[in-house]
Amino acid sequence: MAHGPPDVPTDPGTATPDVEHGPADRDLLGLELHGGGRSSFVLTSPLTRFDGKLYGGTAIAVAIAAAEAATGRRARWCTTQFTASADIGDVIACDAEVLAHGRRASQVRVTATLGGRTVFSALAATADPKPGGLTGTYRPMPQVTSFEDSEPYRVPAPAEVLPDEPSGFEQLIEIRTSRPLEKGPPGRMVFWTRARGAMATPAVLGFLADMVPVSIARAAGRAGGGMSLDNTLRIGPPAATDWVLAELEPHLATGGIGHGAAYLWSAEGGLLAVGSQTSSMLLFD
Amino acid sequence: MAHGPPDVPTDPGTATPDVEHGPADRDLLGLELHGGGRSSFVLTSPLTRFDGKLYGGTAIAVAIAAAEAATGRRARWCTTQFTASADIGDVIACDAEVLAHGRRASQVRVTATLGGRTVFSALAATADPKPGGLTGTYRPMPQVTSFEDSEPYRVPAPAEVLPDEPSGFEQLIEIRTSRPLEKGPPGRMVFWTRARGAMATPAVLGFLADMVPVSIARAAGRAGGGMSLDNTLRIGPPAATDWVLAELEPHLATGGIGHGAAYLWSAEGGLLAVGSQTSSMLLFD
């Protein structure tokens, strides 16, 4: 089912039931709904990288929030592709098209533009749970120190870029490096992280998962990060939690392109989401 | 960079250099290029599921081949979203739009349609390797019996659907179930698989990786599969191999929606690609 034509505005409050966490996510991201699947947000400093450009985690969070608002269903998967950058103050327009709307699941495409140029594109599925449908977690949670016993951490960045004070997305999230309480697989990095004042909704999990390239560089014995080509998130059941354990798992790099995953856990041991990412690697040492 | 307008056909043989494996992939899939990023294929029986509908692995293979043909670069990542089905004999039109074309990497969107309806959409990146760019594998290969010492395997399907003779995609691929030679993590399933008469190109790896839901059902102690909402593939370095070890890793299911990954290895131990998938689970027992 396609969404309504753009010249026939609909009231999203009546046309589509809102997801429970929709208002909180849109408040965090500054995302305004305009009806008919359309929305927009102003790129503010907490939604950027250290260099003041759009942060990848922001894009996937916005895509998830837009897909949920367009369908009234909880996001289950989202992939966001980055094609152009944007600067602080830019107003980015998002169009969520519902390409299929089944009894339980919807398939959505979100296109974000700035002056006619595509900044990011996303594909996403939202779905209502099937009563009695298969439910379970098939992976063990890493055993590490609690967030109370873990130390503040800053993501690696070149000295000339890393500001003294929290800057860009660091204003929105908190990260603590945990210590392992067991021998993990080689290359694994584990952090505690949360968005300040926000629960771990699908959109917030997307924002938090954008850290995989750090682990790829470290697995290679280097300090570095990456320019994401995409961010992907697969989402599990809801949980009333803010702190999330991010287990980063580097997979491989070839000719400067790196791949890896991020498993996001609640403090209680629930697997909340699985992120994955391909990026053009940047090494700082 | 946007591709040329559809009314100005370009000769893909001169406009864009072909990737080395392009002709073999297009021959396997029956994909014909029409210039300007456009292509088409006829849905034949080996490209379908047991019920004669489009197989998910076919869609991601076609999307990868179309993105590579449009850019002349090797695919590095592709996510394909399924929105409608198609039947044997249908002619599916594909449009590959190059949304960004950088010095080394390109971002592409592929839209496949049938009579104006979107059958599948894909986002993909292709890239030339960066000389001296980060290269390495950060994960161990499972230790299992060789493909010579492994037994033929058929994917689970309901008795009323599973044909006596190889049918649908089974005509194109061979699967052997391997025996573990070490204790692996819970839920892991490992197969040998190859496309008959084809090397493990990015498109072929996409076709082979579409098996994750089987492992999610089995981790829950059930026989089953799933209807994919998406197929995602992250691609490593080229390898001259046909047999691929597919290590399936179930992650979680909630309310009937399942998530998991597939690591694809060469017999020599190289990590060729990492697939992941979200699906609506179907249980057969």
Side-chain angles (χ1 to χ4, degrees):
Chain A
M1 191 182 76
H3 69 87
D7 54 338
V8 185
T10 51
D11 175 2
T14 57
T16 309
D18 204 355
V19 291
E20 196 185 346
H21 51 265
D25 283 345
R26 296 194 293 269
D27 190 47
L28 187 78
L29 298 166
L31 186 68
E32 288 182 32
L33 302 183
H34 307 305
R38 287 169 304 148
S39 58
S40 64
F41 70 103
V42 179
L43 189 60
T44 55
S45 172
L47 303 178
T48 65
R49 307 186 306 209
F50 296 137
D51 63 1
K53 303 285 185 184
L54 175 69
Y55 183 57
T58 300
I60 189 166
V62 164
I64 288 171
E68 291 184 332
T71 59
R73 291 172 164 172
R74 179 179 166 84
R76 301 312 189 97
W77 148 72
C78 182
T79 294
T80 304
Q81 175 194 55
F82 305 102
T83 45
S85 72
D87 295 296
I88 291 174
D90 282 342
V91 180
I92 298 173
C94 303
D95 185 19
E97 301 163 82
V98 182
L99 299 177
H101 190 74
R103 201 154 48 95
R104 264 192 287 271
S106 304
Q107 293 279 37
V108 189
R109 176 169 55 202
V110 181
T111 308
T113 54
L114 177 61
R117 200 168 38 122
T118 299
V119 175
F120 59 88
S121 302
L123 302 173
T126 63
D128 295 323
K130 177 179 179 179
L134 191 69
T135 297
T137 296
Y138 312 114
R139 181 184 174 86
M141 182 182 183
Q143 299 303 304
V144 300
T145 50
S146 68
F147 59 82
E148 294 93 340
D149 288 334
S150 297
E151 301 299 318
Y153 173 83
R154 297 193 74 186
V155 295
E160 67 274 19
V161 171
L162 190 69
D164 294 336
E165 293 299 309
S167 171
F169 65 92
E170 278 192 320
Q171 300 163 74
L172 194 54
I173 70 176
E174 205 173 336
I175 307 179
R176 297 187 189 174
T177 184
S178 65
R179 290 184 308 280
L181 300 176
E182 62 178 350
K183 186 171 150 41
R188 176 198 273 178
M189 288 181 80
V190 187
F191 300 102
W192 287 102
T193 181
R194 67 171 168 184
R196 295 176 201 276
M199 300 301 278
T201 63
V204 167
L205 291 167
F207 195 93
L208 297 175
D210 186 15
M211 295 199 294
V212 171
V214 172
S215 72
I216 299 170
R218 197 163 89 165
R222 308 289 298 269
M227 301 280 284
S228 299
L229 294 171
D230 79 294
N231 274 15
T232 291
L233 193 73
R234 305 185 186 282
I235 299 147
T241 185
D242 56 348
W243 280 109
V244 164
L245 189 72
E247 173 195 0
L248 307 185
E249 183 183 79
H251 292 154
L252 77 94
T254 180
I257 303 282
H259 308 301
Y263 301 87
L264 304 181
W265 302 87
S266 74
E268 291 71 32
L271 182 51
L272 303 176
V274 182
S276 61
Q277 206 171 332
T278 292
S279 61
S280 180
M281 297 298 300
L282 299 170
L283 301 173
F284 308 143
D285 57 2
Chain B
M1 190 182 75
H3 69 84
D7 54 340
V8 184
T10 51
D11 175 3
T14 56
T16 309
D18 203 355
V19 290
E20 198 186 344
H21 51 267
D25 283 344
R26 296 195 294 270
D27 190 48
L28 187 77
L29 299 165
L31 186 68
E32 287 182 31
L33 302 184
H34 307 303
R38 288 169 304 149
S39 58
S40 65
F41 69 103
V42 179
L43 189 59
T44 55
S45 173
L47 304 178
T48 66
R49 307 185 308 209
F50 296 137
D51 63 359
K53 303 284 185 186
L54 176 68
Y55 183 58
T58 300
I60 189 167
V62 164
I64 288 171
E68 290 184 332
T71 60
R73 290 171 164 173
R74 178 177 167 84
R76 301 311 189 97
W77 147 72
C78 183
T79 294
T80 304
Q81 175 194 54
F82 306 102
T83 46
S85 71
D87 296 296
I88 291 174
D90 283 342
V91 180
I92 299 173
C94 302
D95 185 20
E97 301 164 82
V98 182
L99 299 176
H101 189 74
R103 198 153 50 97
R104 263 190 288 269
S106 303
Q107 292 281 36
V108 187
R109 176 168 57 202
V110 180
T111 308
T113 55
L114 178 60
R117 201 169 37 120
T118 299
V119 176
F120 60 88
S121 303
L123 302 174
T126 63
D128 296 322
K130 177 179 176 178
L134 191 69
T135 297
T137 296
Y138 311 115
R139 180 184 175 86
M141 183 182 184
Q143 299 302 306
V144 300
T145 50
S146 67
F147 60 84
E148 293 94 342
D149 289 333
S150 298
E151 301 298 317
Y153 173 84
R154 296 194 73 185
V155 295
E160 67 273 20
V161 171
L162 190 69
D164 293 336
E165 293 298 309
S167 171
F169 65 91
E170 278 191 321
Q171 300 163 75
L172 195 54
I173 69 175
E174 203 173 338
I175 308 179
R176 297 188 189 173
T177 184
S178 64
R179 292 185 307 281
L181 301 176
E182 60 177 351
K183 185 172 152 38
R188 174 197 275 177
M189 287 181 82
V190 188
F191 300 101
W192 286 103
T193 182
R194 67 172 168 183
R196 296 176 201 275
M199 300 301 278
T201 63
V204 167
L205 291 166
F207 195 92
L208 297 175
D210 186 14
M211 295 199 294
V212 171
V214 173
S215 72
I216 299 170
R218 195 162 91 166
R222 306 291 296 271
M227 302 278 285
S228 299
L229 295 171
D230 80 292
N231 273 15
T232 291
L233 193 72
R234 305 185 186 282
I235 298 147
T241 186
D242 57 348
W243 280 107
V244 165
L245 188 73
E247 173 195 1
L248 307 185
E249 182 185 78
H251 292 153
L252 76 96
T254 180
I257 304 281
H259 308 301
Y263 301 87
L264 304 180
W265 302 87
S266 73
E268 290 71 32
L271 182 51
L272 302 177
V274 182
S276 61
Q277 206 169 333
T278 291
S279 61
S280 181
M281 296 299 300
L282 299 171
L283 300 173
F284 309 142
D285 56 1

